[in-house]
Amino acid sequence: MTWGPLLLLLGGLCLQQARAGSHSLRYFYSSLSGGLPGAPQFSIVGYVDDVPMVGYTSESRRTEPRAPWMEGITAEDPQYWERNTEIFRGHEQVFKADVRTVMERVNQTRGLHSVQYMYGCELRDDGSIGAFRQYAFDGHDFLSFDKDRLTYTAATDAARITQERWNSDRIFIQRGKEYMEGRCIEYLKKYLKLGQERLRRVAPQAAVTRRKTSDRTFLTGYAYGFYPRDIEVKWVRNGVEIPWESRDILPNPDGTYQVRTSVEVQEGDDENMYRYEVYHSSLPDTVTVMYEEKSPPMGVIIGGIIGALVGVGLLAAVVWVVYSKKKKSGKSAYTAANRDPRPGVGGSHQHLLKGENIL
């Protein structure tokens, strides 16, 4: 169970990102202060969009493919797996030491603690580029990078020392930006080409159902069978957008996704006054659906059952891990990011944070 990436993914993905039609490459690092049944002490997972494609753990100590199409990377980069194994082994030692350093600085020698790190890049349909780099300690935001402003921003008072040190090193800042806009995007394009069959866009199907109680009527809109995950949905009544009950985006067994949203029909209204609108990066324009008196497609029913089971399982894993590591909380703590990456200042993150040779 690689739960560190799961925590960040669940927190970072939402419904309102689809219009850009972007593709992203992200890496998620997790480092624990001690052992936890079913979880490696250190792990890295690389994702293209929301598909895991490479992984490394302290148990295997090797960089390995998580998607079958990644086997093809050696055709143009024969040393890919060996090179990244060497790099990630170095990162493992850095992060394990960082967790111990954190615990010493906050005078917490017991309990389970974690450092998490996420970085990557995004290529949008309009050609613009996004970048991500952020740290968390024990599941809480700590430090993040703003590519447009070229600054690090502290999420807590404990991170301000790091913020000031890193922001004062403009060469360090510039090299990080160049990596995310250059090498990161270069490899994202390579991965997209390798996995183009699996990563192709699939348009959603949409339907609206009705449910009546003794005194209330609800309409539920479904969008299902789509890929990638990001999607924008809304309810409109007589041309005006209205609030709706949101549900999580759930996975289908075939690698696609589905989502459902519900609204209550106001007293005296006819169902035809309500329209369910769906936009996805695979669609040329918004799809509008109205209620029809017929059974929902079987794909909605089956996918909903399986997706709900998967979703509940993931949520249970997250809750259990968070509970296990947060029995004792409330004390501010330093994370690995407090160690300055520059030579001679006490840190060993220079190679890692500048993004060199991290693919």
Side-chain angles (χ1 to χ4, degrees):
M1 176 179 66
T2 53
W3 56 269
L6 180 61
L7 290 175
L8 287 172
L9 279 172
L10 291 178
L13 296 174
C14 63
L15 292 176
Q16 304 298 327
Q17 299 173 340
R19 287 196 181 273
S22 64
H23 289 288
S24 64
L25 171 61
R26 306 188 193 211
Y27 290 84
F28 297 86
Y29 286 55
S30 299
S31 186
L32 300 176
S33 59
L36 181 69
Q41 190 171 352
F42 177 77
S43 67
I44 301 172
V45 182
Y47 287 80
V48 174
D49 297 339
D50 53 357
V51 177
M53 51 91 179
V54 297
Y56 173 96
T57 72
S58 51
E59 296 171 349
S60 69
R61 303 214 71 226
R62 292 203 58 81
T63 305
E64 300 172 324
R66 293 290 178 88
W69 45 267
M70 274 300 295
E71 299 281 1
I73 192 68
T74 53
E76 57 181 280
D77 191 349
Q79 301 303 313
Y80 179 90
W81 300 109
E82 290 75 12
R83 182 176 68 252
N84 282 280
T85 291
E86 181 181 353
I87 292 170
F88 290 159
R89 284 178 180 175
H91 295 174
E92 176 184 351
Q93 300 309 312
V94 170
F95 273 86
K96 285 184 176 180
D98 287 337
V99 178
R100 293 193 296 269
T101 300
V102 172
M103 296 175 66
E104 292 171 0
R105 289 184 178 180
V106 300
N107 194 28
Q108 293 187 16
T109 58
R110 297 182 179 181
L112 185 65
H113 298 273
S114 67
V115 168
Q116 295 168 297
Y117 172 51
M118 184 276 285
Y119 76 93
C121 55
E122 177 185 38
L123 180 61
R124 306 184 183 108
D125 272 355
D126 62 5
S128 61
I129 294 172
F132 323 96
R133 177 163 286 169
Q134 61 191 72
Y135 286 88
F137 178 69
D138 281 354
H140 298 285
D141 290 342
F142 187 85
L143 193 71
S144 61
F145 179 68
D146 186 324
K147 182 185 75 70
D148 297 323
R149 297 170 54 197
L150 294 181
T151 57
Y152 280 90
T153 301
T156 67
D157 290 340
R160 295 193 186 282
I161 296 174
T162 308
Q163 172 188 283
E164 293 173 1
R165 287 177 176 173
W166 289 2
N167 286 342
S168 66
D169 189 340
R170 303 315 297 173
I171 296 178
F172 166 70
I173 293 288
Q174 186 61 34
R175 290 185 69 183
K177 178 177 182 291
E178 290 172 355
Y179 163 75
M180 288 185 282
E181 292 182 341
R183 195 170 180 82
C184 185
I185 293 295
E186 172 190 343
Y187 269 84
L188 170 58
K189 291 178 179 179
K190 289 183 180 181
Y191 299 146
L192 289 172
K193 183 177 180 181
L194 285 171
Q196 58 185 334
E197 186 63 26
R198 168 63 179 85
L199 300 170
R200 73 187 189 282
R201 293 173 183 172
V202 181
Q205 300 181 63
V208 173
T209 62
R210 181 181 64 183
R211 176 173 61 89
K212 286 191 173 184
T213 64
S214 58
D215 59 348
R216 304 169 72 184
T217 299
F218 297 88
L219 295 177
T220 299
Y222 296 85
Y224 58 98
F226 57 88
Y227 184 88
R229 184 182 189 275
D230 295 336
I231 193 167
E232 182 178 332
V233 297
K234 63 182 177 181
W235 278 100
V236 176
R237 175 183 177 272
N238 285 342
V240 179
E241 185 175 354
I242 58 177
W244 40 267
E245 177 190 349
S246 176
R247 295 295 179 91
D248 291 334
I249 300 177
L250 298 176
N252 290 322
D254 62 358
T256 62
Y257 294 89
Q258 69 164 281
V259 64
R260 60 174 177 155
T261 58
S262 299
V263 293
E264 181 177 357
V265 177
Q266 297 183 22
E267 187 175 355
D269 279 357
D270 184 272
E271 286 90 344
N272 291 331
M273 298 169 61
Y274 293 79
R275 287 170 168 74
Y276 182 59
E277 296 187 356
V278 178
Y279 185 82
H280 186 259
S281 59
S282 62
L283 298 171
D285 205 349
T286 300
V287 170
T288 300
V289 184
M290 299 172 61
Y291 168 68
E292 296 182 48
E293 291 194 34
K294 61 181 182 180
S295 300
M298 187 57 65
V300 168
I301 299 173
I302 296 176
I305 293 172
I306 297 176
L309 291 174
V310 172
V312 169
L314 293 179
L315 180 60
V318 173
V319 170
W320 178 75
V321 170
V322 172
Y323 174 76
S324 297
K325 68 190 180 75
K326 295 302 295 178
K327 288 182 180 179
K328 296 175 67 177
S329 62
K331 189 170 183 179
S332 297
Y334 285 86
T335 185
N338 266 323
R339 298 173 61 186
D340 196 295
R342 292 172 295 180
V345 186
S348 53
H349 280 88
Q350 183 181 24
H351 179 78
L352 169 65
L353 294 178
K354 290 182 179 179
E356 297 171 356
N357 300 321
I358 301 176
L359 307 179

